[in-house]
């Protein structure tokens, strides 16, 4: 008989970042997650660039609005809806949990919320984003 797996170590919580693209509209999109893991607060967009381009083909600034709100959440660490700086954004309810790393927390948020992306798609996008930041934009000339 297999032993029961160890329970996650750290208390944490996550809150979904929601976006209503049309004011007073009925569509509400889960675009990011904010929370706290191991006493460190964070906010992160979960929708890849390609998904946003498909959702808003005639409005490329939607991505900029979302990133602006996420950046502001990271700067001030105040996870209350009335602290959001742009109209059309709100926060979901807080979900308390336990996990071993921040990535586990984001995975829980994506899996337990209505999201346009799977956790695997999110990971693929994040990895490609990190790789694109490491690749030099112009070739490096060899030293003679």
């Amino acid at each position: 008989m297999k032993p029961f797996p160890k329970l996650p170590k750290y208390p944490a919580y996550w809150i979904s970042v929601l976006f209503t693209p049309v004011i007073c509209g009925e569509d509400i999109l889960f675009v990011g997650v904010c929370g706290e893991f191991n006493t460190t607060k964070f906010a992160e967009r979960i929708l890849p660039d390609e998904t946003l381009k498909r959702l808003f083909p005639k409005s490329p600034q939607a991505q900029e609005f979302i990133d602006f709100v996420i950046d502001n959440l990271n700067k001030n660490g105040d996870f209350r809806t009335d602290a959001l700086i742009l109209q059309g954004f709100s926060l979901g309810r807080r979900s308390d949990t336990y996990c071993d790393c921040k990535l586990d927390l984001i995975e829980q948020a994506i899996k337990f919320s209505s999201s346009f992306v799977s956790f695997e798609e999110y990971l693929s996008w994040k990895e490609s984003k990190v790789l694109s930041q490491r690749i030099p934009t112009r070739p490096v000339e060899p030293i003679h």
Side-chain angles (χ1 to χ4, degrees):
M1 193 159 117
K2 287 186 176 181
F4 192 75
K6 290 184 178 182
L7 293 174
K9 295 180 185 179
Y10 303 102
Y13 71 86
W14 59 270
I15 302 167
S16 52
V17 179
L18 307 170
F19 176 48
T20 306
V22 178
I23 302 301
C24 298
E26 293 182 11
D27 295 330
I28 300 173
L29 306 174
F30 174 39
V31 297
V33 62
C34 59
E36 185 174 335
F37 168 74
N38 200 16
T39 69
T40 303
K41 289 187 173 187
F42 73 94
E44 195 163 316
R45 176 166 55 103
I46 61 159
L47 287 181
D49 299 340
E50 285 302 313
T51 304
L52 286 171
K53 286 177 187 173
R54 286 188 191 112
L55 287 170
F56 306 105
K58 295 184 181 188
S59 183
Q61 63 269 38
Q63 178 181 335
E64 294 171 16
F65 293 149
I66 294 166
D67 288 341
F68 182 69
V69 168
I70 295 292
D71 289 345
N72 189 58
L73 285 168
N74 274 317
K75 286 178 185 170
N76 69 26
D78 188 0
F79 300 153
R80 294 176 298 122
T81 295
D82 61 344
L84 294 172
I85 56 175
L86 286 180
Q87 198 173 22
F89 287 88
S90 62
L91 299 177
R93 65 179 173 83
R94 176 179 162 145
S95 296
D96 293 306
T97 187
Y98 285 86
C99 56
D100 289 323
C101 66
K102 183 176 117 177
L103 206 53
D104 289 347
L105 188 63
I106 293 171
E107 180 179 16
Q108 286 182 36
I110 290 173
K111 287 184 175 181
F112 296 123
S113 296
S114 298
S115 176
F116 279 108
V117 295
S118 67
F119 181 65
E120 292 74 21
E121 290 170 314
Y122 164 80
L123 283 178
S124 175
W125 169 64
K126 289 301 282 186
E127 288 171 4
S128 69
K129 197 171 163 182
V130 168
L131 285 175
S132 69
Q133 292 171 353
R134 288 185 191 167
I135 297 171
T137 54
R138 57 189 164 121
V140 178
E141 295 181 21
I143 300 173
H144 297 285

